[in-house]
Amino acid sequence: MSDMLAIGASGLRAYQVALNTVSENIANAGTAGYTRRTTNIKEVASIGGISAQAIGSGEGAAVIGVQRAGDMFKMAEVLSSGSDLGKTATSVGWLDRIETSLSSSVLSTRLSSFFTSATTLAGDPTSTAARSAMLESANGVASAFSETGASLDRVATDLDTTTRDTVSSLNSLAATLARINQGLGRAAPGTAGNAALMDQRDQTLEAMSALTDVHVSYDNAGRASVNVGGSGGPLLVDGNFNATVGYARNASGTMSFSVLTGVTQQVMSPTGGALAGIMDGAQRIADARQQLQGIALNFVKDVNTVQSGGRDLDNNAGANMFAIDTSAGTAQVSATLTDPRGIAAAAVGGGQRDNTNLAAFAAIRTSGGYESKVVDMTTTNASALAQRKSVADAQQTIRDNAVSSRDALSGVDLDTEAVDLMRFQQAYAATSRVIQVARDTIQTIIDIR
């Protein structure tokens, strides 16, 4: 009877753990990052009078551990697809900011208006209204250059802030993963605590993959080691230790990253995640600023050259119409000519009604190609933006499929849990009945004596 009581008690303990596990699954069915657990129950057999977990003559049941339904291969697909999406989505964001900067000031339209006003003035070089209109157009061009340049400069500043925040987040995640690794080294395998730590580990890795491409390896305790920038990249997390990521941007706008381990610094070359998208955005912003500055410098120089080659309405040598302050930012152009009479419409010795010098404005419009260059910048960026958006849509689908595939294995299915709940409740009730029968039998024997 004592054997019967012990067998019932072992089953009661085992199914209590199983019911707790099912309850935990149901309670966390909607919890992000939670992985389904199952209780492994084995028969306790007697071999030569010694109890062991094996198949044979039964002596009850025992829990040998709580198993987590995670799959490292499906997790790797989630990390890889998340890294790809992170790069493209981040790149889309910066391309969109560049497009807004280039199009909001309608620079190409203002340039066209300026050269059109010069053509209009050529019809009547003495017209005060036409001269005033040309100066108004000159102010419009200067403002458009300055607004576009200032907008691109703000984008570059915002990119620095975003980079700093992203690097800080990555370093924080690396430190968190190191602490989780430390916990995994202490937690007993097959326990609920061990499974919870692995859930936290996977959530941390997924967040890291959105910031940079990660190569992950695991030891027997489930601790993760992480290389960044590919499998050959520097080691960011190794067991309980984590290095730190730093970044720099040179005068030309090129971004670079490094991993600092004590006094050792290794180059980090992210090919995925937000950091890779930031690197791409930094280069595109730098290129756009350089191109715009070049267009502005050439425009100011060419227009001022035309002015200096002619005579104004008072037969004076033409004064500069524009100035550019290279120390104030990108394409910071100002209109310096304020008197409409100062427009040099005539050639030297041509007289007030001469419009010969205005033809030079049409010539530099063609040779300089300022409008077409601005349009090309805008359309090239817009084309890249559209292409990246298309790629991002495809990568979003790939990542969603990877997450669904992982969750199909590791996610909680309430119908399955309901079946297990009833099964373990019945088993628990049955073992309780075994204990009751054993007690009643023992009591009957005692009463007979």
Side-chain angles (χ1 to χ4, degrees), residues 197-214:
L197 284 169
M198 287 188 176
D199 281 353
Q200 294 175 26
R201 177 201 66 191
D202 287 354
Q203 290 178 70
T204 303
L205 287 171
E206 189 170 350
M208 291 177 73
S209 72
L211 303 183
T212 187
D213 47 327
V214 296

Side-chain angles (χ1 to χ4, degrees), residues 113-444:
S113 296
F114 172 76
F115 287 113
T116 299
S117 69
T119 301
T120 302
L121 180 59
D124 184 2
T126 62
S127 170
T128 301
R131 285 175 172 269
S132 296
M134 186 172 178
L135 282 191
E136 184 65 26
S137 295
N139 282 312
V141 169
S143 295
F145 267 120
S146 296
E147 290 169 10
T148 304
S151 182
L152 287 174
D153 289 344
R154 285 193 296 272
V155 175
T157 300
D158 291 346
L159 181 132
D160 272 331
T161 301
T162 299
T163 306
R164 183 168 56 251
D165 292 344
T166 303
V167 167
S168 177
S169 296
L170 182 58
N171 287 330
S172 177
L173 289 168
T176 298
L177 183 58
R179 289 193 296 270
I180 293 171
N181 283 341
Q182 187 175 23
L184 284 169
R186 296 172 178 173
T191 62
N194 181 267
L197 284 169
M198 287 188 176
D199 281 353
Q200 294 175 26
R201 177 201 66 191
D202 287 354
Q203 290 178 70
T204 303
L205 287 171
E206 189 170 350
M208 291 177 73
S209 72
L211 303 183
T212 187
D213 47 327
V214 296
H215 176 78
V216 186
S217 57
Y218 305 90
D219 65 11
N220 292 334
R223 291 172 293 197
S225 294
V226 178
N227 294 83
V228 286
S231 59
L235 197 62
L236 181 59
V237 180
D238 184 19
N240 304 345
F241 167 80
N242 66 280
T244 57
V245 175
Y247 86 98
R249 191 153 70 96
N250 61 23
S252 65
T254 302
M255 193 80 68
S256 63
F257 298 94
S258 59
V259 173
L260 308 175
T261 308
V263 296
T264 304
Q265 178 172 305
Q266 293 177 280
V267 175
M268 173 185 170
S269 303
T271 58
L275 291 184
I278 285 172
M279 286 187 70
D280 178 69
Q283 189 59 57
R284 290 180 180 275
I285 293 167
D287 290 345
R289 294 170 74 189
Q290 184 178 12
Q291 290 177 49
L292 183 67
Q293 181 78 349
I295 294 170
L297 286 168
N298 288 333
F299 174 78
V300 169
K301 175 178 69 68
D302 291 346
V303 170
N304 288 343
T305 298
V306 170
Q307 272 286 106
S308 65
R311 289 291 185 270
D312 64 14
L313 204 55
D314 297 319
N315 200 33
N316 296 318
N320 287 343
M321 188 175 289
F322 295 104
I324 183 167
D325 186 353
T326 56
S327 65
T330 303
Q332 293 305 294
V333 177
S334 59
T336 55
L337 187 65
T338 58
D339 185 357
R341 298 180 65 84
I343 297 174
V348 176
Q352 284 189 336
R353 303 197 62 82
D354 181 48
N355 63 5
T356 304
N357 198 51
L358 290 173
F361 282 105
I364 64 170
R365 181 182 192 179
T366 301
S367 63
Y370 319 107
E371 297 149 278
S372 62
K373 288 176 180 176
V374 172
V375 170
D376 287 345
M377 283 177 62
T378 306
T379 55
T380 298
N381 186 81
S383 177
L385 176 59
Q387 188 267 342
R388 291 293 172 87
K389 284 182 176 179
S390 178
V391 172
D393 289 341
Q395 290 176 337
Q396 182 68 62
T397 301
I398 292 170
R399 184 184 181 277
D400 290 345
N401 289 339
V403 170
S404 296
S405 178
R406 179 198 62 186
D407 291 349
L409 176 68
S410 62
V412 175
D413 178 68
L414 291 177
D415 291 337
T416 301
E417 299 304 323
V419 171
D420 285 345
L421 186 63
M422 290 187 291
R423 180 163 62 91
F424 293 136
Q425 282 175 334
Q426 290 170 355
Y428 186 85
T431 53
S432 298
R433 182 59 180 160
V434 168
I435 292 173
Q436 185 61 49
V437 169
R439 285 177 176 174
D440 291 345
T441 303
I442 293 171
Q443 187 62 49
T444 300

Side-chain angles (χ1 to χ4, degrees), residues 87-97 385 388-389 392:
K87 174 184 177 179
T88 306
T90 302
S91 180
V92 164
W94 295 114
L95 285 168
D96 188 59
R97 291 286 304 274
L385 176 59
R388 291 293 172 87
K389 284 182 176 179

